[in-house]
Amino acid sequence: MGTILWSTFAVFLTLSIFSFLIKDNPFYKFAEHLFAGISVGYLVVITFTQIFIPRVWKPLMNSIDTGNILRSAFLIIGVFIGLLYLSRASNKYSWLSRYPISIVVGFGSGFAIAPSLNARVLKQLHSTVVEDGQSLLNIQKIIAFFRDPSFSSLYNATYGPLLVIGVLVVLIYFFFSFKNDNPVIKYTRTPALLYMMVGFGAAFGYTFMARISLFVDRMNFILNRWWPLIQNKLM
Amino acid sequence: MKRQYPMILTFVFGLIGFILRFSPILNEKYLNDLLSWTMAIAAFAVVIAVISLVKHHAEKIRRKHKDMIYSFVTFIGLIVMALVGILGHYMPGSIWKSIFDNLYKYVRTPLDATMFSLLAFYISSAAYRAFRARTWHATALLISGFIVMIGRVAFGPLMIFADITNWIMLIPTTAVMRAIMIGVGLGITATSIKIILGIETSYLGGGEK
């Protein structure tokens, strides 16, 4: 019985959200406000159970038990600094919240420099030059295409050059977006735009289909999971 | 004191974070503790989320706004989810845990999925408006988007779209995303350095010196 009630409530919420497609209405507002409350409540639970307890409370209790005063003090200071976030509630003392923010932002910034450069710049540049130990601009693949023309060899021959050219022209487009008469910058604009439009179109199509999958999943829930439950109960 | 000390703290902790990445000895010894410590501090930021939500809805109730009944719904959702979740954490086999799981499975998940699926309808109408602009940019976007949409669910003779989709995803999309990624990486690095050196201070907000 419990499953039927919960499932029926889920169906009610699903339809309430979809009712917004007709127009804004009380059912949608109810579901929307419930979503906000439930999501923040869930965030509180996750933060409490996954971060506060295992990373602060338990280590603090352990260090108190083992008499490690330095570590206990370190954790207590952390909690105290974290509690300064509460000063946001006061207009007069809200500046105190800058202390925890500055520590988190500062540490995060310093900590992010090396991995960000490595993963987002160096590795991407490396993959644009070499893939699977082979140069992307491999003349042998182009020769192979002329020796044995086929779709497969055409794909192999053009894959690397098209990728390298794409990365270069889009980078040039981004970094020299101001008006410029330099021929390299001028004549790479159109190919860069073509690459970007095709790429963004693909990203759009991909995102759209992901959203449609969610829609199909909701319909599947209503028609293939909830409705049979109701039918079984009624018969 | 209100801006200078936080900026000094940013500089010090920024340097610590930076050095920890390059020193295997320090990294091994202090990284976990420092990460836990900063994560513990960052966790309290949830308090800001709760305060903002409570402030906004309390104000609506105080002003007797016509939609104030929904603010009560938000409060009930917040309190019930938080309480039940915490009680369920301490009593794993209890009814609280089961209610929490059901709230997640039958309330949060459907709401989340439906909200996002609703976007499909709105991005279609946005796309329609974008595609009405008859430029070659919009045409390229439309053709590429259409091919990928068909390619994702291709079958039988339409499988050609799946092959073209693969090509689009592997070459033009990878090239564009890679270039964007490189730009983002350089941007993150530059912003991080600016934050550590105190050139970028917007994270401290406005207000008194």
Side-chain angles (χ1 to χ4, degrees):
Chain A
M1 191 64 192
T3 312
I4 291 180
L5 283 178
W6 281 109
S7 299
T8 308
F9 190 54
V11 171
F12 165 73
L13 293 174
T14 303
L15 296 177
S16 299
I17 298 280
F18 281 133
S19 69
F20 188 72
L21 289 169
I22 303 166
K23 67 173 197 175
D24 199 3
N25 62 73
F27 293 109
Y28 173 76
K29 279 182 186 161
F30 170 79
E32 183 198 26
H33 282 75
L34 184 65
F35 184 42
I38 288 275
S39 296
V40 177
Y42 182 70
L43 186 69
V44 170
V45 175
I46 292 300
T47 311
F48 184 77
T49 58
Q50 311 282 322
I51 300 176
F52 187 74
I53 297 293
R55 289 190 181 258
V56 182
W57 190 250
K58 279 185 181 169
L60 182 63
M61 288 300 117
N62 277 343
S63 51
I64 288 173
D65 284 346
T66 52
N68 190 340
I69 296 166
L70 203 65
R71 192 173 154 80
S72 309
F74 180 65
L75 288 164
I76 289 168
I77 289 168
V79 172
F80 174 75
I81 294 170
L83 282 172
L84 291 178
Y85 272 120
L86 288 170
S87 64
R88 278 270 171 177
S90 144
N91 288 333
K92 198 176 171 187
Y93 297 106
S94 65
W95 58 271
L96 282 169
S97 66
R98 284 175 182 161
Y99 284 87
I101 291 172
S102 62
I103 290 173
V104 172
V105 170
F107 187 77
S109 301
F111 203 63
I113 291 175
S116 173
L117 261 181
N118 184 37
R120 292 195 171 91
V121 182
L122 301 178
K123 284 216 167 117
Q124 298 301 324
L125 284 174
H126 182 263
S127 303
T128 309
V129 180
V130 181
E131 198 175 79
D132 298 330
Q134 281 194 324
S135 165
L136 274 174
L137 297 176
N138 192 341
I139 199 80
Q140 295 299 329
K141 287 181 179 172
I142 297 169
I143 295 168
F145 166 69
F146 284 110
R147 274 195 197 136
D148 174 27
S150 67
F151 272 118
S152 164
S153 59
L154 176 68
Y155 173 81
N156 284 335
T158 55
Y159 170 75
L162 283 177
L163 192 66
V164 175
I165 291 167
V167 174
L168 283 177
V169 294
V170 176
L171 272 178
I172 291 170
Y173 182 84
F174 281 140
F175 284 98
F176 302 100
S177 52
F178 50 86
K179 195 174 175 343
N180 200 310
D181 287 333
N182 182 305
V184 175
I185 297 166
K186 209 168 151 186
Y187 294 114
T188 52
R189 283 182 75 84
T190 306
L193 278 169
L194 181 64
Y195 266 97
M196 282 195 289
M197 289 306 132
V198 173
F200 294 152
F204 167 77
Y206 204 80
T207 310
F208 181 80
M209 292 313 283
R211 301 283 183 258
I212 288 292
S213 311
L214 285 172
F215 176 71
V216 170
D217 177 62
R218 292 324 301 153
M219 291 299 112
N220 187 37
F221 174 76
I222 294 174
L223 300 173
N224 295 332
R225 280 189 272 162
W226 174 73
W227 185 236
L229 268 179
I230 297 293
Q231 273 181 323
N232 282 343
K233 194 72 193 167
L234 292 175
M235 283 172 189
Chain B
M1 178 150 172
K2 291 180 181 175
R3 281 183 85 89
Q4 294 291 328
Y5 288 172
M7 278 167 70
I8 294 168
L9 275 177
T10 305
F11 178 73
V12 172
F13 278 89
L15 271 188
I16 292 172
F18 185 74
I19 291 165
L20 273 179
R21 280 281 182 191
F22 291 96
S23 163
I25 300 166
L26 289 176
N27 197 321
E28 203 178 293
K29 219 171 172 186
Y30 301 114
L31 181 65
N32 266 340
D33 281 345
L34 258 172
L35 267 181
S36 290
W37 195 70
T38 44
M39 271 181 79
I41 293 174
F44 282 94
V46 171
V47 174
I48 294 182
V50 177
I51 288 174
S52 305
L53 190 81
V54 170
K55 257 186 173 176
H56 175 75
H57 288 285
E59 186 65 20
K60 259 178 140 177
I61 292 169
R62 197 180 64 79
R63 287 186 178 179
K64 293 194 167 58
H65 190 274
K66 67 179 171 60
D67 284 343
M68 74 171 192
I69 185 83
Y70 303 112
S71 296
F72 285 112
V73 173
T74 304
F75 280 142
I76 292 168
L78 167 67
I79 295 165
V80 168
M81 191 71 172
L83 269 182
V84 165
I86 291 168
L87 288 173
H89 176 73
Y90 285 108
M91 294 177 249
S94 67
I95 190 164
W96 303 113
K97 178 69 181 152
S98 142
I99 294 174
F100 178 72
D101 289 344
N102 282 328
L103 276 173
Y104 183 80
K105 192 175 169 187
Y106 294 106
V107 179
R108 196 185 174 274
T109 306
L111 282 171
D112 193 30
T114 316
M115 274 290 182
F116 278 102
S117 71
L118 196 67
L119 288 181
F121 298 94
Y122 289 100
I123 56 175
S124 335
S125 84
Y128 171 70
R129 265 173 270 146
F131 296 148
R132 270 200 317 188
R134 289 175 190 151
T135 58
W136 72 264
H137 305 102
T139 311
L141 196 83
L142 170 70
I143 292 170
S144 164
F146 179 77
I147 291 171
V148 171
M149 280 180 215
I150 301 289
R152 298 296 297 167
V153 287
F155 60 91
L158 294 176
M159 278 310 282
I160 182 75
F161 285 105
D163 294 334
I164 303 173
T165 299
N166 277 342
W167 183 86
I168 289 175
M169 297 309 283
L170 276 174
I171 299 174
T173 310
T174 306
V176 172
M177 295 309 162
R178 196 168 277 175
I180 291 174
M181 190 89 89
I182 292 169
V184 168
L186 293 171
I188 289 176
T189 308
T191 310
S192 298
I193 293 169
K194 277 163 82 178
I195 286 172
I196 294 168
L197 296 179
I199 300 164
E200 168 67 52
T201 56
S202 57
Y203 64 94
L204 291 174
E208 300 159 82
K209 294 276 176 195

